[in-house]
Amino acid sequence: MDKISITFISQGDKRYAVFHVKDAWFNAQAYWANYHGLPRDGDRVELQPGDEERIIAEVKEKIAEAKEAIARYEEFLRPPAETREIDVCGHKVAVHFQPWQHFHYIAKVSIPAAMKDELEWPDLLSRWLEEWEEEENGTLSLTGNVKDKDEYFNQVQAEMSRATARINEVRAWRSQPTQRYEWPGNVRVVMKAGSRPPFYDVTFIAPKTLIEKATQYGLALAKHQWWPTDNSQVSMTWTLKDKEVELSLATLRKLVEDAATTKAEVVAQYSV
């Protein structure tokens, strides 16, 4: 099939060569093969006397060059897709490479959703994890176009090394035993490691009567937001950084002790 047609026209006192693409697929392949020497459809050049044979020879040469580029491109596309795997604390991370246009690769990184939950990070590979695509098989994937698959895989490995360190840190944090304290006034304190460092979830459980007493007497303990857990108890939960725990617990314990030890008598009560 002919690739390019050339029409020589005379317009006034000037002559032109007008090029028309006859094989659009050939031109597209040449473009994907990074060959840009072929004339585009509708291109024209002004001619000087005797230019016709030169123009025809140049186009033939460019078509031959395009065929060589396409052959190299087809050779690049011939190898099958490749998948490389990285182990991240027992999570299998897959990096899939598919040869693509312009001698690039479509690179697809897949991570298990459980790995995202353990990471407690907002982003990975410079993209928000919320932007990763959720797959039907329970994985998250990120797809992009890369020039050098080895260079990109090294980048992924470096990122997964950071992820490994982070997951180990999170696992060690979450493995801390629960701490329990008994305070005056039958107040119980339960402190657990939060889902990610350096936060703790601290729950305070108090008799409902103690908070009612603090409310009646206008004590500071009643100014906190307590929620009923049953008919006889109330509770509240704080999320604290590790550096805040000691001071926060000491401050609240002082309020609990004040409420537990305060003795007062209602001598009058009015509603107005």
Side-chain angles (χ1 to χ4, degrees), residues 3 23-35 38 62-78 103:
K3 310 303 182 187
D23 187 347
W25 176 245
F26 179 78
N27 268 41
Q29 285 185 304
Y31 174 74
W32 295 332
N34 290 343
Y35 183 80
L38 292 174
K62 289 178 179 180
I63 289 174
E65 292 173 349
K67 288 180 177 179
E68 291 179 1
I70 291 171
R72 291 192 298 270
Y73 176 56
E74 290 175 341
E75 183 67 23
F76 168 77
L77 293 176
R78 190 165 290 116
F103 295 93

PDB file of all heavy atoms in Angstrom, residues 3 23-35 38 62-78 103:
ATOM      1  N   LYS A   3       2.220   4.843   0.845  1.00  0.00           N
ATOM      2  CA  LYS A   3       2.233   5.526   2.135  1.00  0.00           C
ATOM      3  C   LYS A   3       1.908   7.014   2.010  1.00  0.00           C
ATOM      4  O   LYS A   3       1.154   7.561   2.808  1.00  0.00           O
ATOM      5  CB  LYS A   3       3.608   5.355   2.797  1.00  0.00           C
ATOM      6  CG  LYS A   3       4.106   3.913   2.852  1.00  0.00           C
ATOM      7  CD  LYS A   3       3.158   2.986   3.565  1.00  0.00           C
ATOM      8  CE  LYS A   3       3.711   1.567   3.632  1.00  0.00           C
ATOM      9  NZ  LYS A   3       2.706   0.615   4.174  1.00  0.00           N
ATOM     10  N   ASP A  23      -1.664   6.049   4.043  1.00  0.00           N
ATOM     11  CA  ASP A  23      -1.713   4.950   5.015  1.00  0.00           C
ATOM     12  C   ASP A  23      -1.604   5.554   6.419  1.00  0.00           C
ATOM     13  O   ASP A  23      -0.507   5.722   6.960  1.00  0.00           O
ATOM     14  CB  ASP A  23      -0.569   3.970   4.738  1.00  0.00           C
ATOM     15  CG  ASP A  23      -0.649   2.708   5.598  1.00  0.00           C
ATOM     16  OD1 ASP A  23      -1.435   2.703   6.564  1.00  0.00           O
ATOM     17  OD2 ASP A  23       0.076   1.741   5.309  1.00  0.00           O
ATOM     18  N   ALA A  24      -2.767   5.883   6.992  1.00  0.00           N
ATOM     19  CA  ALA A  24      -2.776   6.550   8.298  1.00  0.00           C
ATOM     20  C   ALA A  24      -2.184   5.658   9.382  1.00  0.00           C
ATOM     21  O   ALA A  24      -1.529   6.143  10.316  1.00  0.00           O
ATOM     22  CB  ALA A  24      -4.206   6.946   8.665  1.00  0.00           C
ATOM     23  N   TRP A  25      -2.394   4.339   9.294  1.00  0.00           N
ATOM     24  CA  TRP A  25      -1.854   3.412  10.296  1.00  0.00           C
ATOM     25  C   TRP A  25      -0.330   3.425  10.278  1.00  0.00           C
ATOM     26  O   TRP A  25       0.318   3.392  11.332  1.00  0.00           O
ATOM     27  CB  TRP A  25      -2.389   2.017  10.038  1.00  0.00           C
ATOM     28  CG  TRP A  25      -1.824   0.967  10.953  1.00  0.00           C
ATOM     29  CD1 TRP A  25      -1.035  -0.079  10.611  1.00  0.00           C
ATOM     30  CD2 TRP A  25      -2.003   0.874  12.367  1.00  0.00           C
ATOM     31  NE1 TRP A  25      -0.690  -0.829  11.699  1.00  0.00           N
ATOM     32  CE2 TRP A  25      -1.280  -0.273  12.803  1.00  0.00           C
ATOM     33  CE3 TRP A  25      -2.688   1.632  13.307  1.00  0.00           C
ATOM     34  CZ2 TRP A  25      -1.236  -0.656  14.143  1.00  0.00           C
ATOM     35  CZ3 TRP A  25      -2.643   1.249  14.636  1.00  0.00           C
ATOM     36  CH2 TRP A  25      -1.929   0.125  15.041  1.00  0.00           C
ATOM     37  N   PHE A  26       0.245   3.502   9.073  1.00  0.00           N
ATOM     38  CA  PHE A  26       1.708   3.561   8.951  1.00  0.00           C
ATOM     39  C   PHE A  26       2.229   4.823   9.622  1.00  0.00           C
ATOM     40  O   PHE A  26       3.221   4.788  10.360  1.00  0.00           O
ATOM     41  CB  PHE A  26       2.097   3.527   7.471  1.00  0.00           C
ATOM     42  CG  PHE A  26       3.575   3.607   7.224  1.00  0.00           C
ATOM     43  CD1 PHE A  26       4.388   2.508   7.400  1.00  0.00           C
ATOM     44  CD2 PHE A  26       4.168   4.809   6.826  1.00  0.00           C
ATOM     45  CE1 PHE A  26       5.768   2.577   7.180  1.00  0.00           C
ATOM     46  CE2 PHE A  26       5.533   4.897   6.607  1.00  0.00           C
ATOM     47  CZ  PHE A  26       6.331   3.772   6.787  1.00  0.00           C
ATOM     48  N   ASN A  27       1.571   5.950   9.382  1.00  0.00           N
ATOM     49  CA  ASN A  27       2.012   7.199  10.004  1.00  0.00           C
ATOM     50  C   ASN A  27       1.878   7.141  11.524  1.00  0.00           C
ATOM     51  O   ASN A  27       2.733   7.639  12.258  1.00  0.00           O
ATOM     52  CB  ASN A  27       1.192   8.375   9.461  1.00  0.00           C
ATOM     53  CG  ASN A  27       1.857   9.028   8.268  1.00  0.00           C
ATOM     54  OD1 ASN A  27       2.389   8.329   7.403  1.00  0.00           O
ATOM     55  ND2 ASN A  27       1.830  10.341   8.210  1.00  0.00           N
ATOM     56  N   ALA A  28       0.796   6.514  12.016  1.00  0.00           N
ATOM     57  CA  ALA A  28       0.611   6.400  13.463  1.00  0.00           C
ATOM     58  C   ALA A  28       1.702   5.528  14.072  1.00  0.00           C
ATOM     59  O   ALA A  28       2.264   5.860  15.132  1.00  0.00           O
ATOM     60  CB  ALA A  28      -0.764   5.809  13.758  1.00  0.00           C
ATOM     61  N   GLN A  29       2.024   4.415  13.416  1.00  0.00           N
ATOM     62  CA  GLN A  29       3.090   3.551  13.921  1.00  0.00           C
ATOM     63  C   GLN A  29       4.428   4.283  13.951  1.00  0.00           C
ATOM     64  O   GLN A  29       5.203   4.133  14.903  1.00  0.00           O
ATOM     65  CB  GLN A  29       3.202   2.295  13.067  1.00  0.00           C
ATOM     66  CG  GLN A  29       2.112   1.275  13.306  1.00  0.00           C
ATOM     67  CD  GLN A  29       2.348   0.022  12.511  1.00  0.00           C
ATOM     68  OE1 GLN A  29       2.481   0.056  11.282  1.00  0.00           O
ATOM     69  NE2 GLN A  29       2.410  -1.112  13.196  1.00  0.00           N
ATOM     70  N   ALA A  30       4.693   5.056  12.895  1.00  0.00           N
ATOM     71  CA  ALA A  30       5.946   5.816  12.860  1.00  0.00           C
ATOM     72  C   ALA A  30       6.001   6.819  14.013  1.00  0.00           C
ATOM     73  O   ALA A  30       7.044   6.995  14.658  1.00  0.00           O
ATOM     74  CB  ALA A  30       6.078   6.539  11.525  1.00  0.00           C
ATOM     75  N   TYR A  31       4.864   7.433  14.320  1.00  0.00           N
ATOM     76  CA  TYR A  31       4.801   8.390  15.429  1.00  0.00           C
ATOM     77  C   TYR A  31       5.069   7.683  16.749  1.00  0.00           C
ATOM     78  O   TYR A  31       5.836   8.164  17.590  1.00  0.00           O
ATOM     79  CB  TYR A  31       3.431   9.063  15.424  1.00  0.00           C
ATOM     80  CG  TYR A  31       3.185   9.957  16.607  1.00  0.00           C
ATOM     81  CD1 TYR A  31       3.810  11.197  16.719  1.00  0.00           C
ATOM     82  CD2 TYR A  31       2.320   9.554  17.632  1.00  0.00           C
ATOM     83  CE1 TYR A  31       3.592  12.023  17.802  1.00  0.00           C
ATOM     84  CE2 TYR A  31       2.093  10.382  18.724  1.00  0.00           C
ATOM     85  CZ  TYR A  31       2.728  11.608  18.801  1.00  0.00           C
ATOM     86  OH  TYR A  31       2.509  12.414  19.880  1.00  0.00           O
ATOM     87  N   TRP A  32       4.438   6.513  16.958  1.00  0.00           N
ATOM     88  CA  TRP A  32       4.655   5.761  18.194  1.00  0.00           C
ATOM     89  C   TRP A  32       6.092   5.259  18.293  1.00  0.00           C
ATOM     90  O   TRP A  32       6.598   5.038  19.389  1.00  0.00           O
ATOM     91  CB  TRP A  32       3.694   4.574  18.270  1.00  0.00           C
ATOM     92  CG  TRP A  32       2.256   5.007  18.359  1.00  0.00           C
ATOM     93  CD1 TRP A  32       1.783   6.168  18.896  1.00  0.00           C
ATOM     94  CD2 TRP A  32       1.116   4.288  17.878  1.00  0.00           C
ATOM     95  NE1 TRP A  32       0.412   6.225  18.775  1.00  0.00           N
ATOM     96  CE2 TRP A  32      -0.033   5.083  18.175  1.00  0.00           C
ATOM     97  CE3 TRP A  32       0.939   3.066  17.234  1.00  0.00           C
ATOM     98  CZ2 TRP A  32      -1.328   4.678  17.832  1.00  0.00           C
ATOM     99  CZ3 TRP A  32      -0.353   2.656  16.908  1.00  0.00           C
ATOM    100  CH2 TRP A  32      -1.465   3.453  17.203  1.00  0.00           C
ATOM    101  N   ALA A  33       6.731   5.082  17.141  1.00  0.00           N
ATOM    102  CA  ALA A  33       8.127   4.643  17.119  1.00  0.00           C
ATOM    103  C   ALA A  33       9.091   5.820  17.235  1.00  0.00           C
ATOM    104  O   ALA A  33      10.303   5.660  17.027  1.00  0.00           O
ATOM    105  CB  ALA A  33       8.405   3.858  15.847  1.00  0.00           C
ATOM    106  N   ASN A  34       8.541   6.993  17.534  1.00  0.00           N
ATOM    107  CA  ASN A  34       9.333   8.212  17.723  1.00  0.00           C
ATOM    108  C   ASN A  34      10.013   8.688  16.442  1.00  0.00           C
ATOM    109  O   ASN A  34      11.053   9.356  16.494  1.00  0.00           O
ATOM    110  CB  ASN A  34      10.382   8.031  18.837  1.00  0.00           C
ATOM    111  CG  ASN A  34       9.762   7.942  20.212  1.00  0.00           C
ATOM    112  OD1 ASN A  34       8.613   8.315  20.407  1.00  0.00           O
ATOM    113  ND2 ASN A  34      10.522   7.440  21.172  1.00  0.00           N
ATOM    114  N   TYR A  35       9.417   8.341  15.306  1.00  0.00           N
ATOM    115  CA  TYR A  35       9.933   8.873  14.036  1.00  0.00           C
ATOM    116  C   TYR A  35       9.002   9.997  13.592  1.00  0.00           C
ATOM    117  O   TYR A  35       7.799   9.812  13.454  1.00  0.00           O
ATOM    118  CB  TYR A  35       9.995   7.792  12.956  1.00  0.00           C
ATOM    119  CG  TYR A  35      10.606   8.330  11.668  1.00  0.00           C
ATOM    120  CD1 TYR A  35      11.992   8.457  11.549  1.00  0.00           C
ATOM    121  CD2 TYR A  35       9.795   8.747  10.614  1.00  0.00           C
ATOM    122  CE1 TYR A  35      12.553   8.986  10.392  1.00  0.00           C
ATOM    123  CE2 TYR A  35      10.354   9.279   9.456  1.00  0.00           C
ATOM    124  CZ  TYR A  35      11.730   9.404   9.358  1.00  0.00           C
ATOM    125  OH  TYR A  35      12.304   9.928   8.230  1.00  0.00           O
ATOM    126  N   LEU A  38       8.134  12.023   8.609  1.00  0.00           N
ATOM    127  CA  LEU A  38       7.151  11.915   7.538  1.00  0.00           C
ATOM    128  C   LEU A  38       6.333  13.195   7.400  1.00  0.00           C
ATOM    129  O   LEU A  38       5.986  13.828   8.397  1.00  0.00           O
ATOM    130  CB  LEU A  38       6.206  10.743   7.800  1.00  0.00           C
ATOM    131  CG  LEU A  38       6.809   9.343   7.725  1.00  0.00           C
ATOM    132  CD1 LEU A  38       5.764   8.315   8.161  1.00  0.00           C
ATOM    133  CD2 LEU A  38       7.311   9.028   6.324  1.00  0.00           C
ATOM    134  N   LYS A  62      12.533   8.953   3.609  1.00  0.00           N
ATOM    135  CA  LYS A  62      11.876   9.074   4.912  1.00  0.00           C
ATOM    136  C   LYS A  62      10.952   7.887   5.184  1.00  0.00           C
ATOM    137  O   LYS A  62      10.840   7.432   6.323  1.00  0.00           O
ATOM    138  CB  LYS A  62      11.099  10.389   4.985  1.00  0.00           C
ATOM    139  CG  LYS A  62      12.011  11.612   5.065  1.00  0.00           C
ATOM    140  CD  LYS A  62      11.228  12.906   5.087  1.00  0.00           C
ATOM    141  CE  LYS A  62      12.186  14.102   5.192  1.00  0.00           C
ATOM    142  NZ  LYS A  62      11.456  15.387   5.208  1.00  0.00           N
ATOM    143  N   ILE A  63      10.302   7.384   4.162  1.00  0.00           N
ATOM    144  CA  ILE A  63       9.460   6.196   4.339  1.00  0.00           C
ATOM    145  C   ILE A  63      10.321   5.008   4.746  1.00  0.00           C
ATOM    146  O   ILE A  63       9.949   4.225   5.629  1.00  0.00           O
ATOM    147  CB  ILE A  63       8.671   5.901   3.043  1.00  0.00           C
ATOM    148  CG1 ILE A  63       7.593   6.969   2.840  1.00  0.00           C
ATOM    149  CG2 ILE A  63       8.051   4.513   3.091  1.00  0.00           C
ATOM    150  CD1 ILE A  63       6.857   6.861   1.520  1.00  0.00           C
ATOM    151  N   ALA A  64      11.501   4.871   4.130  1.00  0.00           N
ATOM    152  CA  ALA A  64      12.414   3.783   4.493  1.00  0.00           C
ATOM    153  C   ALA A  64      12.879   3.931   5.940  1.00  0.00           C
ATOM    154  O   ALA A  64      12.957   2.943   6.691  1.00  0.00           O
ATOM    155  CB  ALA A  64      13.607   3.766   3.536  1.00  0.00           C
ATOM    156  N   GLU A  65      13.197   5.168   6.341  1.00  0.00           N
ATOM    157  CA  GLU A  65      13.606   5.403   7.732  1.00  0.00           C
ATOM    158  C   GLU A  65      12.468   5.076   8.697  1.00  0.00           C
ATOM    159  O   GLU A  65      12.693   4.508   9.772  1.00  0.00           O
ATOM    160  CB  GLU A  65      14.039   6.854   7.896  1.00  0.00           C
ATOM    161  CG  GLU A  65      15.325   7.210   7.163  1.00  0.00           C
ATOM    162  CD  GLU A  65      15.640   8.690   7.198  1.00  0.00           C
ATOM    163  OE1 GLU A  65      14.754   9.468   7.617  1.00  0.00           O
ATOM    164  OE2 GLU A  65      16.761   9.080   6.822  1.00  0.00           O
ATOM    165  N   ALA A  66      11.254   5.441   8.301  1.00  0.00           N
ATOM    166  CA  ALA A  66      10.093   5.155   9.157  1.00  0.00           C
ATOM    167  C   ALA A  66       9.900   3.650   9.308  1.00  0.00           C
ATOM    168  O   ALA A  66       9.577   3.158  10.407  1.00  0.00           O
ATOM    169  CB  ALA A  66       8.838   5.792   8.570  1.00  0.00           C
ATOM    170  N   LYS A  67      10.093   2.899   8.234  1.00  0.00           N
ATOM    171  CA  LYS A  67       9.961   1.443   8.304  1.00  0.00           C
ATOM    172  C   LYS A  67      10.988   0.846   9.267  1.00  0.00           C
ATOM    173  O   LYS A  67      10.680  -0.079  10.034  1.00  0.00           O
ATOM    174  CB  LYS A  67      10.110   0.828   6.915  1.00  0.00           C
ATOM    175  CG  LYS A  67       8.929   1.086   5.991  1.00  0.00           C
ATOM    176  CD  LYS A  67       9.151   0.443   4.627  1.00  0.00           C
ATOM    177  CE  LYS A  67       7.932   0.646   3.727  1.00  0.00           C
ATOM    178  NZ  LYS A  67       8.131   0.050   2.387  1.00  0.00           N
ATOM    179  N   GLU A  68      12.213   1.364   9.230  1.00  0.00           N
ATOM    180  CA  GLU A  68      13.240   0.879  10.155  1.00  0.00           C
ATOM    181  C   GLU A  68      12.861   1.200  11.604  1.00  0.00           C
ATOM    182  O   GLU A  68      13.040   0.364  12.506  1.00  0.00           O
ATOM    183  CB  GLU A  68      14.585   1.517   9.811  1.00  0.00           C
ATOM    184  CG  GLU A  68      15.169   1.047   8.486  1.00  0.00           C
ATOM    185  CD  GLU A  68      16.483   1.729   8.170  1.00  0.00           C
ATOM    186  OE1 GLU A  68      16.933   2.554   9.000  1.00  0.00           O
ATOM    187  OE2 GLU A  68      17.067   1.456   7.108  1.00  0.00           O
ATOM    188  N   ALA A  69      12.344   2.413  11.822  1.00  0.00           N
ATOM    189  CA  ALA A  69      11.932   2.793  13.180  1.00  0.00           C
ATOM    190  C   ALA A  69      10.778   1.911  13.650  1.00  0.00           C
ATOM    191  O   ALA A  69      10.745   1.473  14.809  1.00  0.00           O
ATOM    192  CB  ALA A  69      11.526   4.268  13.208  1.00  0.00           C
ATOM    193  N   ILE A  70       9.829   1.633  12.763  1.00  0.00           N
ATOM    194  CA  ILE A  70       8.688   0.780  13.124  1.00  0.00           C
ATOM    195  C   ILE A  70       9.157  -0.633  13.450  1.00  0.00           C
ATOM    196  O   ILE A  70       8.657  -1.271  14.384  1.00  0.00           O
ATOM    197  CB  ILE A  70       7.638   0.776  12.000  1.00  0.00           C
ATOM    198  CG1 ILE A  70       6.975   2.160  11.905  1.00  0.00           C
ATOM    199  CG2 ILE A  70       6.587  -0.305  12.222  1.00  0.00           C
ATOM    200  CD1 ILE A  70       6.089   2.336  10.696  1.00  0.00           C
ATOM    201  N   ALA A  71      10.136  -1.126  12.694  1.00  0.00           N
ATOM    202  CA  ALA A  71      10.671  -2.464  12.965  1.00  0.00           C
ATOM    203  C   ALA A  71      11.300  -2.518  14.356  1.00  0.00           C
ATOM    204  O   ALA A  71      11.128  -3.501  15.085  1.00  0.00           O
ATOM    205  CB  ALA A  71      11.693  -2.841  11.893  1.00  0.00           C
ATOM    206  N   ARG A  72      12.047  -1.473  14.733  1.00  0.00           N
ATOM    207  CA  ARG A  72      12.634  -1.421  16.081  1.00  0.00           C
ATOM    208  C   ARG A  72      11.533  -1.355  17.139  1.00  0.00           C
ATOM    209  O   ARG A  72      11.633  -1.982  18.201  1.00  0.00           O
ATOM    210  CB  ARG A  72      13.573  -0.219  16.212  1.00  0.00           C
ATOM    211  CG  ARG A  72      14.844  -0.330  15.385  1.00  0.00           C
ATOM    212  CD  ARG A  72      15.850   0.749  15.785  1.00  0.00           C
ATOM    213  NE  ARG A  72      15.334   2.093  15.544  1.00  0.00           N
ATOM    214  CZ  ARG A  72      15.490   2.757  14.408  1.00  0.00           C
ATOM    215  NH1 ARG A  72      16.131   2.199  13.381  1.00  0.00           N
ATOM    216  NH2 ARG A  72      14.999   3.982  14.263  1.00  0.00           N
ATOM    217  N   TYR A  73      10.495  -0.601  16.835  1.00  0.00           N
ATOM    218  CA  TYR A  73       9.375  -0.461  17.761  1.00  0.00           C
ATOM    219  C   TYR A  73       8.650  -1.797  17.945  1.00  0.00           C
ATOM    220  O   TYR A  73       8.303  -2.183  19.067  1.00  0.00           O
ATOM    221  CB  TYR A  73       8.425   0.605  17.235  1.00  0.00           C
ATOM    222  CG  TYR A  73       7.167   0.794  18.042  1.00  0.00           C
ATOM    223  CD1 TYR A  73       7.208   1.095  19.400  1.00  0.00           C
ATOM    224  CD2 TYR A  73       5.912   0.671  17.433  1.00  0.00           C
ATOM    225  CE1 TYR A  73       6.048   1.278  20.131  1.00  0.00           C
ATOM    226  CE2 TYR A  73       4.751   0.855  18.154  1.00  0.00           C
ATOM    227  CZ  TYR A  73       4.818   1.154  19.502  1.00  0.00           C
ATOM    228  OH  TYR A  73       3.670   1.327  20.226  1.00  0.00           O
ATOM    229  N   GLU A  74       8.433  -2.507  16.856  1.00  0.00           N
ATOM    230  CA  GLU A  74       7.771  -3.820  16.943  1.00  0.00           C
ATOM    231  C   GLU A  74       8.625  -4.804  17.724  1.00  0.00           C
ATOM    232  O   GLU A  74       8.095  -5.647  18.461  1.00  0.00           O
ATOM    233  CB  GLU A  74       7.478  -4.348  15.538  1.00  0.00           C
ATOM    234  CG  GLU A  74       6.373  -3.563  14.816  1.00  0.00           C
ATOM    235  CD  GLU A  74       6.168  -4.025  13.384  1.00  0.00           C
ATOM    236  OE1 GLU A  74       7.099  -4.688  12.845  1.00  0.00           O
ATOM    237  OE2 GLU A  74       5.103  -3.726  12.813  1.00  0.00           O
ATOM    238  N   GLU A  75       9.939  -4.700  17.580  1.00  0.00           N
ATOM    239  CA  GLU A  75      10.825  -5.559  18.368  1.00  0.00           C
ATOM    240  C   GLU A  75      10.728  -5.222  19.854  1.00  0.00           C
ATOM    241  O   GLU A  75      10.755  -6.116  20.708  1.00  0.00           O
ATOM    242  CB  GLU A  75      12.270  -5.378  17.878  1.00  0.00           C
ATOM    243  CG  GLU A  75      13.278  -6.275  18.560  1.00  0.00           C
ATOM    244  CD  GLU A  75      13.086  -7.746  18.238  1.00  0.00           C
ATOM    245  OE1 GLU A  75      12.480  -8.060  17.189  1.00  0.00           O
ATOM    246  OE2 GLU A  75      13.531  -8.580  19.047  1.00  0.00           O
ATOM    247  N   PHE A  76      10.585  -3.940  20.156  1.00  0.00           N
ATOM    248  CA  PHE A  76      10.414  -3.510  21.546  1.00  0.00           C
ATOM    249  C   PHE A  76       9.119  -4.059  22.134  1.00  0.00           C
ATOM    250  O   PHE A  76       9.062  -4.459  23.310  1.00  0.00           O
ATOM    251  CB  PHE A  76      10.419  -1.976  21.600  1.00  0.00           C
ATOM    252  CG  PHE A  76       9.984  -1.399  22.913  1.00  0.00           C
ATOM    253  CD1 PHE A  76      10.830  -1.386  24.012  1.00  0.00           C
ATOM    254  CD2 PHE A  76       8.697  -0.874  23.064  1.00  0.00           C
ATOM    255  CE1 PHE A  76      10.417  -0.857  25.229  1.00  0.00           C
ATOM    256  CE2 PHE A  76       8.280  -0.340  24.276  1.00  0.00           C
ATOM    257  CZ  PHE A  76       9.139  -0.337  25.360  1.00  0.00           C
ATOM    258  N   LEU A  77       8.053  -4.100  21.311  1.00  0.00           N
ATOM    259  CA  LEU A  77       6.755  -4.572  21.788  1.00  0.00           C
ATOM    260  C   LEU A  77       6.674  -6.088  21.921  1.00  0.00           C
ATOM    261  O   LEU A  77       5.785  -6.598  22.606  1.00  0.00           O
ATOM    262  CB  LEU A  77       5.641  -4.100  20.831  1.00  0.00           C
ATOM    263  CG  LEU A  77       5.358  -2.605  20.746  1.00  0.00           C
ATOM    264  CD1 LEU A  77       4.299  -2.342  19.686  1.00  0.00           C
ATOM    265  CD2 LEU A  77       4.911  -2.049  22.088  1.00  0.00           C
ATOM    266  N   ARG A  78       7.608  -6.806  21.284  1.00  0.00           N
ATOM    267  CA  ARG A  78       7.489  -8.265  21.198  1.00  0.00           C
ATOM    268  C   ARG A  78       7.573  -8.980  22.549  1.00  0.00           C
ATOM    269  O   ARG A  78       6.802  -9.908  22.802  1.00  0.00           O
ATOM    270  CB  ARG A  78       8.552  -8.813  20.240  1.00  0.00           C
ATOM    271  CG  ARG A  78       8.362 -10.293  19.893  1.00  0.00           C
ATOM    272  CD  ARG A  78       9.190 -10.704  18.690  1.00  0.00           C
ATOM    273  NE  ARG A  78       8.636 -10.082  17.480  1.00  0.00           N
ATOM    274  CZ  ARG A  78       9.274  -9.197  16.732  1.00  0.00           C
ATOM    275  NH1 ARG A  78      10.493  -8.798  17.065  1.00  0.00           N
ATOM    276  NH2 ARG A  78       8.714  -8.699  15.651  1.00  0.00           N
ATOM    277  N   PHE A 103       8.284   3.711  22.976  1.00  0.00           N
ATOM    278  CA  PHE A 103       9.307   2.969  23.715  1.00  0.00           C
ATOM    279  C   PHE A 103       9.206   3.211  25.223  1.00  0.00           C
ATOM    280  O   PHE A 103      10.189   3.201  25.936  1.00  0.00           O
ATOM    281  CB  PHE A 103      10.715   3.329  23.213  1.00  0.00           C
ATOM    282  CG  PHE A 103      10.956   2.919  21.790  1.00  0.00           C
ATOM    283  CD1 PHE A 103      10.734   3.804  20.744  1.00  0.00           C
ATOM    284  CD2 PHE A 103      11.382   1.634  21.493  1.00  0.00           C
ATOM    285  CE1 PHE A 103      10.939   3.425  19.422  1.00  0.00           C
ATOM    286  CE2 PHE A 103      11.589   1.236  20.179  1.00  0.00           C
ATOM    287  CZ  PHE A 103      11.368   2.136  19.139  1.00  0.00           C
TER     288      PHE A 103
END
